[in-house]
Amino acid sequence: MVVKKKTKENQSTVDEVFEKHRSDVLKTRFVTNKVKVFVLSVITGFILISIGFLASDASKVRGYEIDGNYFLKDEEILQLAGISETSRYLFVFDTVSENRLLASPLVESCEVTVKNDGIVSISLKEKVILGYRYKTYPEVIFQDGTTLE
């Protein structure tokens, strides 16, 4: 059996319709895939830029401001709040740090704010210590009458 190659002269109308349909489908797929490739490349670029930013020193806490402390040292306050030099300021959440500080028996109230330039500002009010006593173990007496071992 001899198979003839199709040329323009012997190509039927049905073959032309099939050829047009196939080319239309390929164009549609190309346009659809072009949009998908664009969206995926934008998402990939955003992820790579985010990872690069988080890996750099630009995302670290650059400094801190602490107001209102008398008995607690700055390092102790930062440790209670869970903030260090290696912390990323985008992951320092105000309410979480405030709750950690309020868990300390020496802190009466506090406010934590994170500024866009990487500075963490902590403003706190410590409980007033009235004195110390030693019965069977040393205790700290606060102005409100509570004690701490």
Side-chain angles (χ1 to χ4, degrees), residues 33-110:
N33 288 337
K34 190 165 72 169
V35 171
K36 288 179 185 177
V37 167
F38 176 75
V39 169
L40 286 175
S41 64
V42 167
I43 290 172
T44 304
F46 179 74
I47 290 171
L48 289 175
I49 289 171
S50 299
I51 290 172
F53 176 72
L54 291 175
S56 71
D57 289 340
S59 66
K60 290 184 180 179
V61 173
R62 290 194 179 110
Y64 56 88
E65 300 170 352
I66 300 177
D67 296 328
N69 59 328
Y70 182 72
F71 294 106
L72 291 172
K73 296 178 184 174
D74 290 352
E75 293 80 23
E76 292 171 331
I77 293 171
L78 291 173
Q79 184 180 7
L80 286 172
I83 301 170
S84 67
E85 293 176 358
T86 60
S87 299
R88 308 291 180 199
Y89 73 87
L90 294 176
F91 298 124
V92 175
F93 301 110
D94 303 345
T95 54
V96 173
S97 297
E98 287 175 7
N99 289 337
R100 287 179 180 168
L101 284 170
L102 290 174
S104 171
L106 294 173
V107 177
E108 187 174 322
S109 65
C110 67

Side-chain angles (χ1 to χ4, degrees), residues 3 14 18 25 27 32 37 52-53 65 69 71 79 82 98 105 118-119 121 124 127 132 135-136 147:
V3 178
V14 174
F18 281 133
V25 168
K27 286 179 185 176
T32 306
V37 167
F53 176 72
E65 300 170 352
N69 59 328
F71 294 106
Q79 184 180 7
E98 287 175 7
I119 305 293
S121 176
L124 61 92
K127 288 184 178 179
Y132 302 94
K135 286 186 174 180
T136 56
T147 59

